Amino acid sequence: MKNKRLVNQKLLRFGYTTGTCATAATKAAATMLFNREYVSSVSIVTPNQTNLTIDVLNPQFDSNFACCSIQKDSGDDPDITNGILISSKVRLLPDTSDIIIEGGNGVGKVTKPGLDQPVGEFAINSVPRKMIKNSLNELANENNYDGGFHVLISVPEGENIANKTFNPDLGIIGGISILGTTGIVEPMSAKALADSIKLEISMISAENNDSILIFLGNFGKKFSVEDLNLSPKPGIMCSNFIDVALDSSVEYGFNKILLVGHIGKLVKLGIGMFNTHSNNGDGRIETLLSCALEAGADIDTLRKIQESITTNAVLDILWETNLLNKTMDILKSRILHYINKRIPSNVEIGFVCFTNSGEYSGILFESDNANNLKEIWRN
């Protein structure tokens, strides 16, 4: 890719995700089926509207199927999947309009609840599935085809690589996951990201703003805009660096701060962990386990929580046992305790914690002053 980012005085290349590779391989294979000729490259548009043209490897087709591979390019971001081949085998299904997407050799299978895909399904996440379906629907329209497709994604090295990832701990067995929300891998060192957060905050403060909205990742920003109807400005994305964002906001004189985050990140504040990157530890399930115990959960419920691997899986258990609201109130109090220990008393800070799945989708809890603070970004 031509896109680059300056990191620590070095120009680093962007890369593309496993989901982008699977989509490109599928589009190339389907193109060969329709055109009855080999292709050497394929063009796609990623979810963040980046135009890519990618080389196609090992193209094959006959009257029944077509297949090819795309080599994963992670750019200059360190990634264990860099350089591996991701393949797609496509067959036309003229008797149905369905698009069936399955995993083959080297693609993991989900064995525990709470992940993007249900138990028993291949670990091909929802955004890559949507990318694949959109590409196939476009080709079908271009070729006046009203049938369906069968897509088999495989990763020859996937099973070996998966053992070096978190997949086994998450209950994904047999291979890697096909992932990606933007389709693009952006290179960024931890120090460079922290420095960029500080720089953005200093620029916002220079505009004479006394209030700042801090999003804990893309989900936080999307929820703020689409669900809370807040303006994203003045605001900043802090990713895992809640500590840097909060400390810098205080240092640059902001006296009103609102945090908006998914429970998967915000829950870690319940044990005073303000840098939420997995390299620094986890504690999500243990935090929720402790809060549920205080809320009155019985031993069977606590055991189920302990065996969970995601916060959403725990929320499902709490919902089913009518303990969700009480547990969230306890977590809210713990987060408030640690935030107040970190932030000076003359700075007003609030938070909104949400989830985007389950019957309880939406705001799980928020600080008592959150509604008043939200009005700043509605005006």
Side-chain angles (χ1 to χ4, degrees):
M1 289 182 62
K2 294 181 179 179
N3 298 51
K4 294 183 178 182
R5 166 175 284 163
L6 185 64
V7 178
N8 296 338
Q9 298 182 320
K10 295 180 181 179
L11 279 176
L12 301 182
R13 290 189 310 113
F14 284 38
Y16 36 85
T17 63
T18 51
T20 292
C21 293
T23 302
T26 299
K27 183 178 180 181
T31 300
M32 287 191 288
L33 272 178
F34 285 124
N35 295 346
R36 314 308 302 169
E37 62 183 20
Y38 293 111
V39 297
S40 59
S41 64
V42 62
S43 297
I44 66 167
V45 180
T46 66
N48 73 348
Q49 301 304 302
T50 299
N51 293 289
L52 294 176
T53 299
I54 305 174
D55 291 338
V56 173
L57 304 177
N58 309 322
Q60 303 174 49
F61 71 89
D62 64 15
S63 58
N64 298 312
F65 75 93
C67 64
C68 63
S69 301
I70 299 291
Q71 187 170 38
K72 173 74 159 57
D73 182 357
S74 301
D76 288 322
D77 193 67
D79 186 341
I80 195 171
T81 64
N82 186 49
I84 67 171
L85 295 182
I86 297 176
S87 305
S88 180
K89 181 177 181 180
V90 179
R91 290 190 295 113
L92 300 181
L93 302 175
D95 297 328
T96 179
S97 60
D98 293 342
I99 297 176
I100 301 170
I101 302 172
E102 295 184 313
N105 179 42
V107 175
K109 211 165 193 180
V110 177
T111 65
K112 295 182 179 181
L115 299 175
D116 181 273
Q117 295 296 302
V119 172
E121 187 55 80
F122 290 98
I124 303 172
N125 277 12
S126 51
V127 172
R129 286 178 183 272
K130 184 178 180 181
M131 292 170 66
I132 290 170
K133 289 181 178 180
N134 287 345
S135 293
L136 291 176
N137 284 328
E138 288 175 9
L139 284 174
N141 289 334
E142 292 170 5
N143 291 275
N144 296 316
Y145 173 69
D146 58 5
F149 300 86
H150 180 272
V151 179
L152 184 69
I153 304 299
S154 59
V155 184
E157 300 174 65
E159 190 167 2
N160 290 332
I161 288 176
N163 294 325
K164 302 175 184 178
T165 71
F166 286 111
N167 271 17
D169 298 328
L170 295 174
I172 299 173
I173 62 171
I176 67 167
S177 304
I178 305 300
L179 303 169
T181 54
T182 66
I184 297 299
V185 177
E186 299 185 19
M188 180 63 78
S189 70
K191 182 181 183 304
L193 182 53
D195 289 345
S196 71
I197 290 171
K198 292 179 183 177
L199 178 60
E200 284 190 60
I201 291 174
S202 71
M203 293 171 67
I204 294 172
S205 70
E207 297 172 356
N208 297 315
N209 289 297
D210 66 352
S211 307
I212 188 165
L213 182 59
I214 299 177
F215 314 110
L216 277 59
N218 288 311
F219 285 150
K221 185 172 184 180
K222 183 178 180 183
F223 187 82
S224 298
V225 174
E226 296 182 4
D227 294 79
L228 300 180
N229 299 313
L230 305 183
S231 167
K233 296 180 180 180
I236 185 170
M237 188 102 65
C238 75
S239 185
N240 293 302
F241 293 86
I242 304 172
D243 51 355
V244 175
L246 288 179
D247 294 352
S248 298
S249 295
V250 173
E251 290 164 7
Y252 280 101
F254 291 94
N255 55 42
K256 294 183 186 297
I257 303 170
L258 180 62
L259 286 171
V260 181
H262 186 276
I263 189 169
K265 286 187 183 292
L266 205 61
V267 66
K268 294 186 180 182
L269 270 61
I271 52 173
M273 182 182 290
F274 285 83
N275 185 319
T276 58
H277 196 284
S278 58
N279 287 342
N280 297 315
D282 195 345
R284 295 169 302 152
I285 306 304
E286 291 80 3
T287 304
L288 291 172
L289 184 70
S290 174
C291 292
L293 175 63
E294 189 176 338
D298 60 29
I299 190 65
D300 289 336
T301 301
L302 295 173
R303 187 177 291 111
K304 290 177 182 177
I305 292 173
Q306 188 175 33
E307 293 171 352
S308 299
I309 55 173
T310 66
T311 53
N312 282 336
V314 176
L315 295 181
D316 285 340
I317 295 167
L318 295 171
W319 174 261
E320 292 166 1
T321 54
N322 296 315
L323 287 169
L324 181 60
N325 290 338
K326 190 171 182 180
T327 304
M328 292 300 100
D329 283 342
I330 294 167
L331 177 59
K332 167 186 166 180
S333 296
R334 294 189 181 190
I335 290 174
L336 188 61
H337 167 74
Y338 284 108
I339 283 179
N340 286 339
K341 284 183 66 175
R342 190 177 194 106
I343 302 300
S345 59
N346 63 312
V347 176
E348 183 177 7
I349 182 167
F351 51 86
V352 178
C353 179
F354 69 92
T355 183
N356 45 18
S357 64
E359 296 180 61
Y360 41 81
S361 177
I363 296 176
L364 289 169
F365 59 87
E366 58 186 0
S367 59
D368 294 342
N369 61 349
N371 281 328
N372 288 335
L373 287 172
K374 289 177 203 170
E375 291 305 313
I376 297 171
W377 286 271
R378 287 187 178 134
N379 298 326

